[in-house]
Amino acid sequence: MSPVAAAASEDRSVEAATVARWLAHETRAREVLVTRLERLPGGAIQENWALDVTIDAGPWSGSHEWLLRTNARSSVAASLTRTQEFAVLRAAHAHGVVVPQPLFLCSDANVTGSEFFIMKRVAGVAAGHRLTREAELVPDADALAQELGANLARLHAIVPPQPALDRVLAPPKPDYALSTVREYRAFLDTLADTYPALEWALRWCEIHAPTDAPVALIHRDYRTGNYMVDAGRLAGVLDWEFAGWGDPREDIGWFTARCWRFARADLEAGGIGRLEPFLRGYERASGRRMTAGDLDYWQVMAHVRWAVIALQQARRHMCGGQRSLELALTGRIVHELEYEALAIIEKAAR
Amino acid sequence: MSDISDAADLLATAREALAHELLPLLPKERRYVGLMIGNVIGIAIRELQAGAAAMAGEAERTAALLAVGGIPPGRDTEPGAGAPRELRRALCAAIRAGRFDEPAASAALMGHLTRTAADWVAISNPKALRSS
């Protein structure tokens, strides 16, 4: 657990009795008994609580293993609110994307002190360092890679207009790639130092920006570490706090980028499998082709994006009053991300 | 060979003590912090040994790139430590203005940026360097 998360858990708590009372109303039960309410490790921006309940009477009568997701104290402005995330999760679930089923939303911050939602708790392993090292967790890597590709295609089948989403999400940006370049540059301009390699990668992304601009619901953190694998199968995609309208190819670049392959840099599909079955799964389910040029482009963008996030983390340590070894080390990966982005640009030029 | 330890030798000795005397005693949930500290000491040692040369090399190559493009290197507001930062800033402005878009210029820029990034990766995480 990071020091940030540890600090957050100390000054916040979710009261079992409050949740039970609220749930009794939501589930039209006679009584709700909370048998477990326990903060799960990880999550500096969001808190996840294991929530076990026994419900007496009503449509949800019986015992359930759920998960309560709420804001941590140190929230970051860039991510979605729980109300927005719940709407995204609902849309994804309705379109057959493998996610923990969203159940109940409480937008009223007065109930527990912060808005929250409840979803089904999915079993399995998400940790990237384990999924890419322990072969027994992924007995059929090609099948999992293909499943992850097809699953992403189902998400990208959600295109505007979607009234339920349009109410809560920012409208799609025209020229998504170019507006992303502008956004990253504006951030770099706020920093004390300058970064020539990132600057060149952004210039390259500007010059090579795609001429077509497909728009779909994208996850923006679809990568190993953010999905659960149970018995070798995809059990649920987690952490939807960065989702929004955008170019679907960004998710593919992010998923396949070298920086998210953990222990297996040689396995292009998120360190768990080969690229070919992942793209086959995606292309079959979406009818969209991802060219080698698209892949290079969005992988460069992925490394720049991760570098921008790493610089934000480094600043929390350097000047945000959150001194932390982990945040400091995250800042030092910027060089590696620059190095990888340059290698892809070099390869693309040949 | 010196008679007494310099900073790099002190850090290397501290890292040995951490690895052999402390890490085995740490409870499982604290092991990650111990490993991070070992990692940090390694970076500090390599930066002490190669950081100044990396900075100087970067500044020298940047000045050459800017001179070829006829780009003023900017004001040297802080003598010494300020110069490499000012050069970097001027290079970034030139890149954004499209001064390195032409194939010959971008090839020279790529050579410089890749060398610079590799020098810093050799300090931060040498395992990530590729042999080619």
Side-chain angles (χ1 to χ4, degrees):
Chain A
M1 196 193 297
S2 79
V4 182
S9 70
E10 279 156 22
D11 60 15
R12 245 188 73 70
S13 70
V14 176
E15 295 287 334
T18 313
V19 173
R21 229 177 2 254
W22 181 82
L23 263 179
H25 181 260
E26 284 296 303
T27 59
R28 286 175 277 144
R30 191 157 41 230
E31 199 190 353
V32 171
L33 183 65
V34 172
T35 53
R36 180 184 175 206
L37 182 61
E38 188 187 330
R39 171 89 196 269
L40 298 173
I45 303 164
Q46 270 73 48
E47 290 180 5
N48 294 314
W49 295 69
L51 169 67
D52 292 354
V53 293
T54 301
I55 296 181
D56 179 17
W60 292 92
S61 184
S63 292
H64 304 278
E65 293 188 349
W66 288 342
L67 188 134
L68 183 151
R69 189 161 158 86
T70 188
N71 303 319
R73 267 291 151 81
S74 57
S75 284
V76 172
S79 60
L80 298 183
T81 65
R82 287 323 101 234
T83 300
Q84 291 171 310
E85 193 181 15
F86 188 77
V88 167
L89 207 48
R90 267 198 146 153
H93 184 256
H95 281 78
V97 182
V98 181
V99 293
Q101 188 186 342
L103 300 171
F104 312 103
L105 168 71
C106 178
S107 295
D108 182 359
N110 293 318
V111 176
T112 63
S114 193
E115 53 170 7
F116 65 91
F117 64 77
I118 290 168
M119 57 189 189
K120 283 196 176 162
R121 192 159 82 238
V122 174
V125 175
H129 66 95
R130 291 193 58 196
L131 289 175
T132 56
R133 271 195 188 96
E134 299 172 29
E136 63 276 17
L137 294 175
V138 186
D140 188 345
D142 280 2
L144 181 62
Q146 187 167 340
E147 209 179 352
L148 282 158
N151 191 57
L152 190 56
R154 286 192 292 276
L155 173 65
H156 294 167
I158 306 174
V159 295
Q162 297 281 338
L165 290 174
D166 295 334
R167 270 197 297 278
V168 295
L169 294 182
K173 296 170 191 157
D175 297 323
Y176 182 78
L178 287 176
S179 69
T180 304
V181 167
R182 281 193 294 272
E183 197 183 298
Y184 297 160
R185 276 183 184 155
F187 168 73
L188 291 177
D189 288 343
T190 66
L191 302 177
D193 288 312
T194 58
Y195 298 85
L198 297 180
E199 204 61 61
W200 175 241
L202 285 170
R203 177 66 183 160
W204 186 87
C205 286
E206 183 174 46
I207 295 168
H208 295 88
T211 48
D212 57 336
V215 175
L217 185 60
I218 64 173
H219 182 283
R220 301 202 87 210
D221 205 7
Y222 194 88
R223 59 159 177 94
T224 299
N226 277 343
Y227 55 83
M228 298 285 262
V229 173
D230 189 34
R233 300 287 308 267
L234 175 63
V237 178
L238 312 171
D239 291 337
W240 290 77
E241 69 216 49
F242 298 110
W245 299 119
D247 191 317
R249 293 169 291 194
E250 187 187 62
D251 276 346
I252 297 174
W254 191 251
F255 183 82
T256 59
R258 197 182 173 98
C259 54
W260 290 121
R261 297 182 199 157
F262 295 86
R264 291 297 299 272
D266 58 317
L267 292 176
E268 289 172 279
I272 57 98
R274 297 180 303 123
L275 180 66
E276 196 268 325
F278 173 76
L279 286 183
R280 179 161 20 97
Y282 184 80
E283 288 171 2
R284 273 195 196 159
S286 68
R288 281 202 183 100
R289 274 269 299 141
M290 187 80 179
T291 67
D294 290 337
L295 203 59
D296 287 340
Y297 184 86
W298 291 101
Q299 286 189 355
V300 170
M301 200 68 115
H303 285 96
V304 174
R305 177 159 181 249
W306 193 182
V308 163
I309 296 169
L311 286 165
Q312 289 167 347
Q313 303 286 58
R315 275 166 68 81
R316 284 166 61 192
H317 164 75
M318 292 295 281
C319 52
Q322 293 183 26
R323 301 290 291 173
S324 141
L325 201 49
E326 195 171 17
L327 292 176
L329 274 170
T330 303
R332 294 293 298 224
I333 69 170
V334 168
H335 302 123
E336 227 174 296
L337 297 168
E338 291 177 332
Y339 181 72
E340 293 304 334
L342 292 168
I344 302 165
I345 292 174
E346 180 82 53
K347 176 175 74 98
R350 272 189 237 124
Chain B
M1 194 72 181
S2 327
D3 294 321
I4 59 172
S5 292
D6 60 7
D9 183 67
L10 284 175
L11 288 171
T13 312
R15 188 171 55 169
E16 289 288 304
L18 173 74
H20 296 117
E21 293 172 48
L22 288 183
L23 269 184
L25 302 177
L26 288 181
K28 206 170 148 235
E29 69 275 11
R30 288 277 168 259
R31 195 175 152 74
Y32 182 56
V33 180
L35 291 173
M36 279 198 297
I37 293 171
N39 188 8
V40 160
I41 296 175
I43 294 173
I45 293 170
R46 291 187 296 271
E47 189 165 321
L48 276 172
Q49 291 164 340
M55 283 290 272
E58 180 189 354
E60 195 177 308
R61 289 191 303 274
T62 304
L65 275 174
L66 293 172
V68 168
I71 299 157
R75 274 178 309 118
D76 189 353
T77 47
E78 291 170 65
R85 281 177 108 182
E86 284 303 316
L87 285 165
R88 223 184 248 168
R89 193 170 294 279
L91 182 60
C92 282
I95 290 169
R96 204 181 286 193
R99 304 286 285 266
F100 289 92
D101 291 355
E102 293 305 318
S106 65
L109 177 67
M110 278 293 288
H112 160 66
L113 295 175
T114 303
R115 171 71 199 277
T116 305
D119 283 352
W120 284 102
V121 173
I123 291 168
S124 293
N125 182 15
K127 279 182 297 195
L129 285 175
R130 270 168 266 189
S131 44
S132 59

